[in-house]
Amino acid sequence: MGSFPLAAEVFSRVVALALLLFAAACSQPAVPSPGIPSQGEWRTLEGTWSASGTRQTLNLDSNHLASVFDLTGSLLVTGDRGLGVGFQSQAIGFTDSLTGMQGRCVWTDEHGDKVYSELKGEFVATGNHIVGTFLGGTGRYTGMTGEYSFQWKYIVESEDGTVSGRAVDLKGRARLGSVAAAPRGAHGQ
């Protein structure tokens, strides 16, 4: 029975050591997950984007065209610790040969998180310059800001309004907002 106080003392030291190790482990600073940009940090991006869809055009005068377009496709983003890898994209807009182009775009990643952007530029034609401005998003892209630019190149332009093309030299930068890593399943629609 003389060993019971010794066993109790050893047990209490082991418990104290375990609690100390547990407290030390819990007090370590959180390390951001690789590939998920931290709040407020600028990230460069480059990408390849191809899309197809429809375009309806009105001939308003001999040198004046107006069109609406609806395109869907895929976007592969690379760059300095990129924002994601693959996105499905949808872009709609209006383009006028005299005043330029206005559009909106949504990129959706593999988790269903969305990136919203506004498109502006020259009349949509092969080689014309287009600029996108990020307007936020859902999930990990909530509050996202930044910009990107590219030149559009038509691959197919048919008389029935079917079009397909790709972005050439897509480059930009982005900064995530106040909700850098929203829990999965918290996607605003």
Side-chain angles (χ1 to χ4, degrees):
M1 297 237 176
S3 66
F4 181 71
L6 181 59
E9 184 178 336
V10 169
F11 177 74
S12 66
R13 286 185 184 193
V14 168
V15 168
L17 181 60
L19 288 173
L20 181 63
L21 291 173
F22 179 73
C26 290
S27 67
Q28 295 296 318
V31 176
S33 300
I36 299 178
S38 61
Q39 173 185 344
E41 187 175 345
W42 283 106
R43 304 294 180 157
T44 60
L45 62 98
E46 295 182 19
T48 57
W49 186 6
S50 59
S52 61
T54 60
R55 176 181 64 190
Q56 295 178 342
T57 302
L58 289 174
N59 291 314
L60 299 172
D61 200 354
S62 60
N63 292 322
H64 188 189
L65 301 173
S67 301
V68 292
F69 60 87
D70 183 356
L71 303 171
T72 58
S74 59
L75 171 71
L76 179 63
V77 175
T78 60
D80 174 31
R81 295 174 288 169
L83 302 172
V85 177
F87 294 87
Q88 291 296 314
S89 65
Q90 181 174 12
I92 61 171
F94 173 78
T95 183
D96 184 292
S97 60
L98 298 180
T99 61
M101 187 271 295
Q102 288 272 335
R104 298 295 184 267
C105 188
V106 177
W107 302 347
T108 306
D109 73 8
E110 70 275 11
H111 302 290
D113 293 339
K114 297 177 187 306
V115 175
Y116 305 126
S117 62
E118 173 183 62
L119 300 172
K120 290 184 179 181
E122 301 170 282
F123 178 72
V124 178
T126 293
N128 282 359
H129 189 75
I130 298 172
V131 175
T133 302
F134 293 118
L135 303 174
T138 64
R140 67 188 256 188
Y141 307 111
T142 299
M144 187 167 130
T145 60
E147 64 280 327
Y148 61 98
S149 65
F150 59 92
Q151 290 184 335
W152 183 252
K153 180 176 182 178
Y154 278 113
I155 306 298
V156 172
E157 293 182 84
S158 70
E159 289 185 23
D160 70 352
T162 301
V163 294
S164 69
R166 64 183 177 92
V168 175
D169 200 27
L170 188 146
K171 293 181 180 178
R173 67 185 192 141
R175 179 168 43 199
L176 295 182
S178 60
V179 182
R184 298 290 178 228
H187 309 294
Q189 302 296 329

